């Protein structure tokens, strides 16, 4: 690794650590959930979690931080919420893009409702109108309820992808991968992933397992 890449990697890791510590100050009740991750740098993709690790592209972290220092903090909490609500344990028959979007809307709504200045990233304002529409139609804004709502109201997958752009924080593809696929793709061995949430290869709970 070149000196510049080492420096970028170090700064990105520091940003993740700072993001975690910022959240710990404000959300002490999430201490265990916030502190459960090991950081693992990758050269592709953006940001992912398997429930034990945060896999991060250093350049992606730096670009987001330069845009707004609140983005990495919100992204970190976004992934924590996916784990808290066990979103990676889904029914394999679900439509993946719609499930991904439903989970993102659910956790972004929870984060916004916390009202923390440290996570008030620009995308929060961009999401406001769509979240208001969802809340108008749904009594309970959970991933499961949102998934059904999306399937009924947004039949066009292209439109669904456009909406996800408003709520995107992390890449969910790791949720659907086996240990072997993760090892080949990211170099994260199965032994390092013991206790992780895992994808379908490790068994999936039903879609009703999460509360948001």
């Amino acid at each position: 690794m070149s000196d510049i890449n080492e420096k970028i990697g170090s700064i990105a890791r520091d940003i993740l650590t700072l993001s975690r510590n910022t959240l710990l100050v404000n959300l002490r009740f999430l201490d265990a959930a916030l502190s459960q991750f090991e950081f693992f740098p990758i050269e592709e993709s953006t940001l992912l979690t398997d429930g034990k690790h945060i896999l991060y592209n250093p350049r992606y972290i730096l670009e987001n931080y330069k845009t707004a220092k609140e983005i990495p903090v919100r992204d970190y909490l976004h992934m924590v919420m996916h784990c808290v609500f066990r979103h990676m344990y889904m029914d394999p028959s679900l439509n993946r893009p719609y499930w991904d979007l439903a989970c993102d809307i659910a956790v972004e709504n929870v984060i916004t409702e916390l009202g923390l200045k440290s996570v008030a990233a620009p995308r929060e304002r961009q999401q406001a109108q769509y979240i208001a529409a969802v809340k108008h139609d749904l009594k309970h804004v959970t991933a499961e309820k949102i998934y059904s709502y999306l399937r009924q109201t947004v039949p066009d997958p292209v439109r669904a992808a456009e909406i996800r752009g408003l709520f995107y924080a992390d890449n969910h593809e790791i949720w659907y991968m086996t240990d072997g696929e993760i090892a080949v793709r990211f170099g994260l061995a199965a032994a390092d992933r013991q206790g992780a949430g895992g994808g379908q290869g490790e068994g999936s709970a039903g879609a009703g397992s999460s509360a948001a």
Side-chain angles (χ1 to χ4, degrees):
M1 182 182 291
S2 67
D3 289 344
I4 184 65
N5 285 338
E6 286 184 0
K7 186 173 182 179
I8 290 172
S10 176
I11 294 172
R13 189 179 185 88
D14 287 345
I15 290 171
L16 286 173
T17 301
L18 177 62
S19 298
R20 179 194 64 203
N21 293 343
T22 298
L23 293 166
L24 282 169
V25 170
N26 294 283
L27 302 170
R28 296 301 301 176
F29 63 95
L30 285 177
D31 188 350
L34 291 166
S35 304
Q36 68 183 314
F37 301 106
E38 297 176 24
F39 301 150
F40 190 85
I42 54 176
E43 296 182 356
E44 57 176 307
S45 192
T46 54
L47 196 59
L48 311 91
T49 185
D50 60 2
K52 181 181 178 181
H53 302 85
I54 286 179
L55 289 74
Y56 65 98
N57 183 321
R59 294 182 182 276
Y60 178 76
I61 299 294
L62 263 64
E63 286 301 318
N64 279 342
Y65 186 81
K66 286 195 300 182
T67 300
K69 67 181 185 300
E70 294 85 3
I71 294 177
V73 185
R74 191 180 185 98
D75 288 351
Y76 195 107
L77 185 55
H78 180 111
M79 291 185 289
V80 169
M81 289 299 180
H82 280 321
C83 297
V84 168
F85 297 122
R86 300 171 64 82
H87 287 160
M88 60 274 294
Y89 293 101
M90 78 298 290
D91 183 337
S93 68
L94 292 177
N95 180 290
R96 292 183 182 181
Y98 280 83
W99 178 245
D100 288 344
L101 174 55
C103 293
D104 284 343
I105 293 174
V107 299
E108 285 292 301
N109 176 59
V110 170
I111 293 170
T112 296
E113 289 185 340
L114 289 172
L116 297 177
K117 184 177 180 180
S118 60
V119 296
R123 69 173 182 260
E124 181 177 317
R125 295 187 296 274
Q126 298 166 358
Q127 298 165 358
Q129 184 175 357
Y130 193 81
I131 287 183
V134 172
K135 287 183 171 181
H136 179 269
D137 294 335
L138 295 179
K139 183 177 181 180
H140 302 292
V141 188
T142 66
E144 292 76 22
K145 296 293 185 182
I146 297 170
Y147 175 82
S148 298
Y149 173 82
L150 291 170
R151 295 291 280 166
Q152 295 170 7
T153 62
V154 191
D156 181 7
V158 174
R159 175 56 180 155
E162 292 173 351
I163 295 171
R164 193 180 181 210
L166 300 174
F167 295 88
Y168 182 89
D170 61 326
N171 186 336
H172 300 170
E173 65 177 318
I174 198 169
W175 297 0
Y176 309 101
M177 299 169 70
T178 65
D179 284 344
E181 291 169 338
I182 292 171
V184 170
R185 176 78 181 277
F186 300 113
L188 190 59
D192 295 327
R193 299 188 63 250
Q194 291 180 1
Q200 288 175 236
E202 297 180 5
S204 301
S209 61
S210 65

